[in-house]
Amino acid sequence: MAVKTKLARSLALAFGATALTLGMSSTVLAQSNTTGNVYGAVESPAGATVVIENLDTKLRRTATVESNGRYLATSLPPGRYSVQLVRNGTVVQTREVEVLIGQGAEAVFTTQQVQVVGRRRVIDVSNTNNGAVFTSQQLQNLPIARNVESIILIAPNTTQGDSRYPNGANSFGGGAVSENSYYVNGFPVTNPLTQLGYMELPYGAIGQAQILTGGFGAEFGRSVGGVANITTKSGTNRWEVGGIAQWEPKNLAASQVDIYYPKVGAPNTVATDGTLYRRRSGNETDRKLLGFNVGGPLIQDKLFFFGSLEQTRTEFSGTNAINGLRLNTASNIRGWEDSETDTTRYLVKLDWNINDNHRLEYTGFGDTSKKDKYLSGYNYTTGARNGVTGASEHYKNFSGETPVGGIVNILKYTGNITDDLTVTALYGRSKTKHENTYGSYAGVNPNVYQVTYTSTGKVPGLPDPSPNPISGNVPITGGEDTVESARLDLEYKLGNHTIRAGIDENRLSSEDAGVYRAGGGLWAYARSAQSPTTPIALQNVVVAPASGGGYGLQGYYVTETKFTSITDAYSDQSAQYIEDRWQVTKDLLLTIGVRNEQFENRNGEKQKFMDIKDQIAPRFSASWDVNGDSTLKVFGTAGRYFVQVPTNISVRGASRSLFTSQAFTYTGIDPVTGAPQGLVPLVPAPFSTNNEYFQAKHPSTVAAQDLEPTYQDEITLGFERALTPDITFGARATYRTLRSTIDDMCDNRPFLAWLARNPNVNTSKWTGFGCAAFNPGEDNTFLVDFANTGTNLTEVKLTAAELGFDEAKRTYKAIDLFVEHPFRNGWYGRVNYTWSKNYGNTEGQTQSDIGQLDVSHTVSWDKPELMRGKYGPLPNDRTHQLKAFGFYQFTPEWMVGGNLLAQSGRPKNCLGADPTVPAAHSYGSYYDTCFGRPAPRGSEGRLPWTTRLDLNLAYMPSYVKGMAVRLDVFNVMNRQTVQSISEQLNQNSTQTRLDSYHRVLSTQTPRYARFTVEYNHKF
């Protein structure tokens, strides 16, 4: 009954939204994610047929002309096509069109019996997707970096993610950076563990890139943000070879700005306020790329090959981001970094046109990055380097140090079974191996505890070694991620209806996922800002440092922290959809679809702990060709979108984990390891706020029952108008609202209150409540093993009021305006302006305020007090964005290009310790309470506007046909605007201020230049 009610409500929502917009909008073609369509009309259809032929491979399709003159050819590979009107076996008219992925190309034939070869600028009235499609030629001419992220960021409604997330983690349409889907030739290449980032191709192998930020049909799912959909180049009937060499010389790059301690103004920060934190002005980066591609017919008109190989070497020399800080005691032995990162990407593509009705494709590509890092001494006073290696680190496909890629193999079949029935089937597999190893040198031991000191936490005269060069948590070497994906799609034309349906299955696994505290643990030395006899909050007690004796009499103490979450993780995902494109009239097109998704997650023992079904997602869209000549389109969409919980929720959330802290006083420090001596506990035993003592977690107790998945509803309205054959402009309004989300809560108080109401429950062996996934702001039912039997679980029903959390809220409102000039008369240009408002109390699956990588189990919802004051502008909120790009070929040999970004700054926050929260439930400096007052989200103002202008100049000498020489200059004005800052005010749960509060974390990349020499030859 609950499922039927949910479905009825979903359908009512979407039908109602469509009914409101139907009078002035209409729907989208049911597009494939790797192909496009050709459609149009024949003025006198009697006895006519339409033949569509690929100009490069001679693939032919014949489309039946219906009695009303309409015709449609679907599932065509991207490329250039000749569309021929045939009467009595004779071609009487011809049109040339370009097919783009996910879009329709129109060719209209009148009664004039003349052959016309050319292109007419019209609006694609079959398409209502939000976003943009870029061809390889456009990308080649624009001054952008050679990666998918740079393509994403020139599309409307996209924003760069927090600097602490991996490259390629971007926000689409106000969503969190983990809530997107990424495809290459129809295969999902999203990071399988965290959903942050994706695998990439050789940039020169990209054929087309479709960036969707909403409005997409039922074929796409597993995203409440957006979709990046890449198709590769293929071989043609002409052999072609090419090569590219690029160089970004360090000598032509501007210096990075240095980072300084902010002026916090606290007694304990006097020594650091306004002083140098990290010197970056001497840092240098030199990058070189070599690439090669070859393609052509292995069998003319039948079998085609395309191959591409690119290798990039990035050499960095400068202060190390961890050990190279002015006050870091290890700077004199590990403060300077010399590193080399090698990224190798290749593609092999085979296309077999078995005949005109059956086609087979194989795609194999690899994306592997390796980094070797060597650390030596650096003296901040003299600026001198000692040249003695004090540590080395080696990485492969390691997030945070290198891009994370893998090896992918894909096989796809497309069959036109009849004129009306098309079948596509795909199977693919990817594998990613991660490696990280660390070298030992004199005074360096990566196998001992890490050691840190606050700026005032050192006892004068005591040794302060820091032998472990690694900080924070790291994965163990040898982890491996695997994705297997299969899908089947059917398309059937029935009169004015084109019906598409499909299923897909993804199987994800991660071996040795999770992280552990490098070296086994951490000694963190600190000193109380209060009198040594004044009690302060330490873990779950309030105690005076002096009570432990030793250096506690002077206020000094040390905290031991242990952490590990290493485990295996598994997830299965499946979906089914059906969609009907209904050509209601010649000018009105409706698409009505529904998608159903399911996913389940399993822990390291392969025990299922989350199983979510019946994610019913209705999708509607409408497209109205107002003038009947494709010069004015009014359109709208309405739909529901779901996103799965990432596989890494198994890590910590459902498998064994250890996270404990314990404070001590001490009488000395080991001069070799940095470990404290003469320990006296200030906290009686190691304490875990979330009850993580490495005990097994029962799979039925780590998630609430009958969870609702994360989903949101979206509605868009817009129009596009072709003013002239050369100018198109349009506008679109978007509204998105989050309806539900999944995160984890770690508060035992509602369960203790429930036990007080149910005193007969046996809790003699209960180890306590840790954390469990739930739906914030809703009633939730949990299973609890109070008797610690492993089988006799008790059902605990808790209302939203008893849990104490507000409803999860996130809305995104946007108005997009654009004007575009196609590449004609020697130039191409597009300008996008977006006004948007991204507000709520949750960013989504991630928490950019602190750069947290625990996707879908963030700090946000752990306890109710953490959510006080959380409503406001979210981290991905940028009120204004202006994006303009284009190129101008002013002679056959010379071309210039430009790319402009201007966007308002990110909201600023203050996160502090809340003294009103009991010590046993305190989370440290994560509350919107600062300086003794509430500090609601966004109350600290905003970071400054980001503006960046990139320019290029290309020379294509006529005497060497196929050669191009380019100079790109990025960030011409050398603006190094602050992009993100540290927002935590206090040290742990005390009121002691951190010297890092509002310290700069990242700035814009300084100005740099790129030289390119490219040569392509067709035989």
Side-chain angles (χ1 to χ4, degrees):
M1 184 64 182
V3 172
K4 291 181 180 179
T5 301
K6 181 192 295 185
L7 176 58
R9 290 175 179 173
S10 300
L11 294 173
L13 166 74
F15 270 117
T18 302
L20 290 174
T21 63
L22 188 57
M24 62 180 199
S25 58
S26 45
T27 16
V28 60
L29 284 176
Q31 307 287 8
S32 166
N33 63 359
T34 60
T35 61
N37 301 332
V38 171
Y39 68 97
V42 177
E43 188 171 339
S44 179
T49 59
V50 173
V51 176
I52 299 101
E53 181 177 79
N54 189 293
L55 293 172
D56 298 311
T57 66
K58 301 305 178 183
L59 175 71
R60 292 169 63 91
R61 288 278 301 280
T62 300
T64 301
V65 181
E66 299 172 3
S67 59
N68 60 6
R70 304 291 298 181
Y71 71 90
L72 171 66
T74 63
S75 301
L76 293 169
R80 300 181 307 121
Y81 286 83
S82 169
V83 186
Q84 303 167 353
L85 175 62
V86 180
R87 295 185 187 276
N88 301 318
T90 302
V91 176
V92 295
Q93 293 188 50
T94 300
R95 302 283 186 264
E96 185 178 317
V97 299
E98 182 175 16
V99 171
L100 303 178
I101 54 173
Q103 295 194 17
E106 185 181 37
V108 176
F109 297 96
T110 67
T111 56
Q112 290 180 310
Q113 299 299 312
V114 295
Q115 180 164 316
V116 179
V117 180
R119 293 174 182 170
R120 181 171 66 102
R121 180 61 179 176
V122 293
I123 302 297
D124 178 12
V125 297
S126 69
N127 190 354
T128 59
N129 292 330
N130 299 358
V133 176
F134 303 96
T135 66
S136 60
Q137 189 63 44
Q138 290 173 321
L139 297 175
Q140 175 180 289
N141 294 332
L142 291 174
I144 61 176
R146 289 178 67 88
N147 54 49
V148 172
E149 180 176 36
S150 66
I151 305 173
I152 292 170
L153 292 178
I154 63 175
N157 280 286
T158 59
T159 301
Q160 191 166 25
D162 187 275
S163 63
R164 289 163 289 189
Y165 292 125
N167 291 338
N170 301 300
S171 171
F172 292 65
V177 295
S178 67
E179 297 174 350
N180 311 308
S181 294
Y182 305 88
Y183 297 90
V184 170
N185 285 351
F187 180 84
V189 294
T190 313
N191 184 306
L193 181 63
T194 64
Q195 297 172 188
L196 298 171
Y198 40 83
M199 298 180 192
E200 295 209 41
L201 298 161
Y203 192 79
I206 295 175
Q208 295 183 11
Q210 180 188 39
I211 310 301
L212 300 175
T213 55
F216 38 91
E219 180 184 37
F220 286 109
R222 304 188 182 96
S223 169
V224 295
V227 176
N229 185 28
I230 308 297
T231 59
T232 65
K233 293 179 179 178
S234 295
T236 68
N237 270 325
R238 291 184 65 182
W239 279 102
E240 180 178 2
V241 296
I244 184 173
Q246 282 190 339
W247 182 30
E248 297 172 12
K250 60 185 178 183
N251 294 332
L252 292 183
S255 298
Q256 277 187 296
V257 294
D258 296 330
I259 297 179
Y260 288 80
Y261 285 96
K263 295 182 180 180
V264 179
N268 63 301
T269 65
V270 171
T272 57
D273 278 3
T275 65
L276 183 64
Y277 171 74
R278 182 186 175 199
R279 182 173 292 139
R280 304 192 303 172
S281 51
N283 295 357
E284 295 179 333
T285 299
D286 195 276
R287 183 174 291 109
K288 298 181 180 70
L289 176 143
L290 291 175
F292 175 78
N293 63 78
V294 59
L298 298 178
I299 302 175
Q300 196 79 8
D301 295 344
K302 289 292 183 181
L303 182 61
F304 306 92
F305 167 83
F306 181 82
S308 181
L309 173 66
E310 288 183 1
Q311 184 166 47
T312 304
R313 168 163 288 190
T314 303
E315 298 176 341
F316 171 81
S317 180
T319 52
N320 179 259
I322 302 299
N323 297 296
L325 312 180
R326 183 175 65 90
L327 295 180
N328 192 311
T329 57
S331 185
N332 62 334
I333 57 173
R334 296 189 293 274
W336 190 264
E337 173 184 333
D338 291 289
S339 63
E340 292 182 353
T341 303
D342 290 323
T343 298
T344 302
R345 292 176 175 144
Y346 71 84
L347 169 84
V348 174
K349 182 79 188 314
L350 292 172
D351 294 85
W352 182 20
N353 294 338
I354 303 171
N355 55 44
D356 286 342
N357 292 319
H358 300 277
R359 187 172 72 256
L360 197 61
E361 302 172 47
Y362 165 75
T363 306
F365 67 93
D367 177 13
T368 300
S369 292
K370 298 179 181 180
K371 183 175 185 177
D372 295 313
K373 181 191 296 187
Y374 298 91
L375 306 181
S376 56
Y378 179 72
N379 188 310
Y380 259 84
T381 301
T382 65
R385 294 173 270 166
N386 66 12
V388 178
T389 300
S392 65
E393 306 169 15
H394 311 279
Y395 303 100
K396 177 181 177 182
N397 292 329
F398 189 91
S399 181
E401 292 287 348
T402 74
V404 177
I407 306 298
V408 181
N409 290 281
I410 312 165
L411 193 64
K412 181 184 178 184
Y413 163 77
T414 302
N416 305 113
I417 309 304
T418 70
D419 289 345
D420 296 323
L421 177 63
T422 300
V423 176
T424 60
L426 178 145
Y427 173 79
R429 192 170 190 267
S430 70
K431 180 168 287 190
T432 300
K433 293 185 178 181
H434 311 279
E435 296 178 8
N436 53 297
T437 57
Y438 310 99
S440 296
Y441 299 84
V444 169
N445 186 352
N447 299 312
V448 299
Y449 270 28
Q450 302 168 42
V451 180
T452 66
Y453 304 85
T454 64
S455 58
T456 59
K458 305 173 187 176
V459 177
L462 289 186
D464 53 5
S466 182
N468 192 328
I470 315 303
S471 67
N473 301 322
V474 297
I476 63 173
T477 191
E480 185 174 276
D481 301 325
T482 302
V483 176
E484 288 188 78
S485 181
R487 66 176 299 139
L488 176 68
D489 297 270
L490 304 176
E491 182 176 76
Y492 185 68
K493 289 184 287 185
L494 182 63
N496 291 334
H497 299 267
T498 300
I499 300 170
R500 298 189 72 236
I503 59 174
D504 68 54
E505 298 281 344
N506 294 334
R507 299 287 180 263
L508 288 65
S509 65
S510 295
E511 298 178 6
D512 288 329
V515 294
Y516 75 105
R517 180 71 72 169
L522 168 71
W523 295 115
Y525 291 89
R527 186 184 188 187
S528 172
Q530 314 297 321
S531 164
T533 58
T534 300
I536 60 174
L538 293 172
Q539 286 86 62
N540 59 329
V541 301
V542 177
V543 61
S547 65
Y551 286 108
L553 297 173
Q554 301 177 40
Y556 294 98
Y557 63 94
V558 64
T559 299
E560 179 187 30
T561 299
K562 297 180 181 180
F563 180 83
T564 182
S565 62
I566 302 297
T567 185
D568 295 339
Y570 305 90
S571 179
D572 294 341
Q573 304 164 0
S574 57
Q576 309 81 40
Y577 77 93
I578 186 168
E579 190 171 68
D580 177 20
R581 183 187 68 244
W582 178 22
Q583 191 73 50
V584 183
T585 69
K586 179 177 73 70
D587 301 323
L588 179 61
L589 189 65
L590 300 181
T591 300
I592 304 172
V594 64
R595 181 181 177 91
N596 184 19
E597 297 182 7
Q598 308 85 39
F599 69 85
E600 64 179 51
N601 292 81
R602 302 192 303 276
N603 63 17
E605 286 73 43
K606 297 187 177 181
Q607 298 169 315
K608 186 189 303 183
F609 65 90
M610 189 177 293
D611 188 5
I612 297 183
K613 296 181 171 63
D614 301 315
Q615 300 172 67
I616 308 298
R619 309 276 175 87
F620 297 84
S621 58
S623 178
W624 178 28
D625 184 1
V626 179
N627 298 326
D629 60 359
S630 299
T631 59
L632 174 60
K633 173 179 69 173
V634 177
F635 60 91
T637 70
R640 175 161 289 180
Y641 299 85
F642 292 84
V643 68
Q644 72 280 357
V645 172
T647 305
N648 84 313
I649 198 172
S650 302
V651 180
R652 292 186 72 183
S655 302
R656 295 178 185 268
S657 59
L658 175 70
F659 188 14
T660 62
S661 296
Q662 186 176 13
F664 303 84
T665 59
Y666 56 97
T667 59
I669 295 178
D670 187 297
V672 176
T673 66
Q677 298 171 327
L679 293 175
V680 174
L682 290 172
V683 176
F687 175 72
S688 176
T689 303
N690 297 336
N691 195 33
E692 295 177 86
Y693 295 100
F694 210 66
Q695 75 276 20
K697 299 180 176 73
H698 194 289
S700 297
T701 66
V702 297
Q705 306 300 296
D706 300 322
L707 280 173
E708 284 193 335
T710 297
Y711 70 97
Q712 74 180 14
D713 292 327
E714 174 191 280
I715 185 170
T716 71
L717 293 171
F719 75 90
E720 291 184 27
R721 175 68 186 269
L723 291 178
T724 71
D726 292 338
I727 298 292
T728 303
F729 82 100
R732 183 191 310 262
T734 300
Y735 178 77
R736 290 176 154 189
T737 181
L738 186 71
R739 297 297 186 186
S740 177
T741 191
I742 295 176
D743 211 294
D744 69 331
M745 62 89 68
C746 306
D747 192 0
N748 67 348
R749 290 169 292 183
F751 297 89
L752 296 176
W754 185 90
L755 286 171
R757 299 191 298 270
N758 297 270
N760 295 326
V761 176
N762 178 14
T763 61
S764 59
K765 295 184 179 181
W766 187 39
T767 58
F769 176 76
C771 299
F774 82 128
N775 292 133
E778 301 179 20
D779 298 347
N780 286 263
T781 299
F782 301 87
L783 296 179
V784 183
D785 190 5
F786 287 118
N788 199 23
T789 63
T791 56
N792 186 21
L793 306 181
T794 302
E795 186 177 80
V796 177
K797 294 184 177 180
L798 297 171
T799 66
E802 290 167 340
L803 288 167
F805 292 96
D806 292 334
E807 180 183 354
K809 296 178 181 178
R810 184 182 75 193
T811 59
Y812 179 75
K813 306 172 185 176
I815 296 176
D816 291 294
L817 307 174
F818 84 90
V819 59
E820 184 175 30
H821 184 287
F823 185 59
R824 275 187 193 168
N825 302 319
W827 70 282
Y828 165 82
R830 182 178 175 105
V831 178
N832 293 300
Y833 167 75
T834 301
W835 173 91
S836 64
K837 188 174 182 180
N838 187 201
Y839 270 60
N841 61 6
T842 179
E843 178 186 354
Q845 293 185 338
T846 56
Q847 189 171 355
S848 296
D849 303 328
I850 57 174
Q852 188 173 6
L853 293 171
D854 294 326
V855 181
S856 272
H857 43 116
T858 66
V859 167
S860 299
W861 299 100
D862 284 4
K863 300 197 177 185
E865 294 89 344
L866 291 162
M867 294 304 296
R868 293 194 298 223
K870 277 290 187 284
Y871 187 85
L874 295 168
N876 297 310
D877 179 62
R878 305 289 188 274
T879 307
H880 304 283
Q881 286 196 78
L882 177 66
K883 298 179 180 182
F885 48 87
F887 44 87
Y888 173 49
Q889 187 170 4
F890 51 91
T891 75
E893 292 186 316
W894 292 94
M895 177 182 287
V896 294
N899 178 30
L900 172 69
L901 169 68
Q903 68 176 12
S904 51
R906 170 177 168 172
K908 295 196 298 185
N909 303 297
C910 178
L911 302 175
D914 189 339
T916 67
V917 178
H921 298 280
S922 177
Y923 259 55
S925 191
Y926 292 108
Y927 300 88
D928 286 81
T929 300
C930 290
F931 304 104
R933 59 171 172 77
R937 178 181 289 281
S939 59
E940 301 301 303
R942 287 182 180 265
L943 294 175
W945 273 63
T946 294
T947 56
R948 190 192 70 242
L949 174 64
D950 307 325
L951 297 173
N952 68 2
L953 175 65
Y955 173 53
M956 297 154 286
S958 59
Y959 54 86
V960 186
K961 189 175 182 181
M963 175 175 283
V965 181
R966 293 184 176 86
L967 170 63
D968 298 87
V969 180
F970 299 91
N971 193 4
V972 173
M973 306 305 294
N974 194 31
R975 296 182 183 272
Q976 299 187 45
T977 307
V978 175
Q979 302 292 286
S980 59
I981 58 175
S982 176
E983 298 183 337
Q984 292 180 278
L985 173 68
N986 298 127
Q987 180 183 320
N988 300 324
S989 297
T990 72
Q991 290 301 301
T992 302
R993 295 185 195 175
L994 292 169
D995 55 20
S996 59
Y997 173 62
H998 277 189
R999 189 187 70 229
V1000 172
L1001 294 175
S1002 66
T1003 58
Q1004 286 179 262
T1005 303
R1007 179 179 56 239
Y1008 69 98
R1010 182 179 71 191
F1011 295 99
T1012 303
V1013 177
E1014 188 171 11
Y1015 178 72
N1016 291 282
H1017 179 71
K1018 291 185 178 181
F1019 296 91

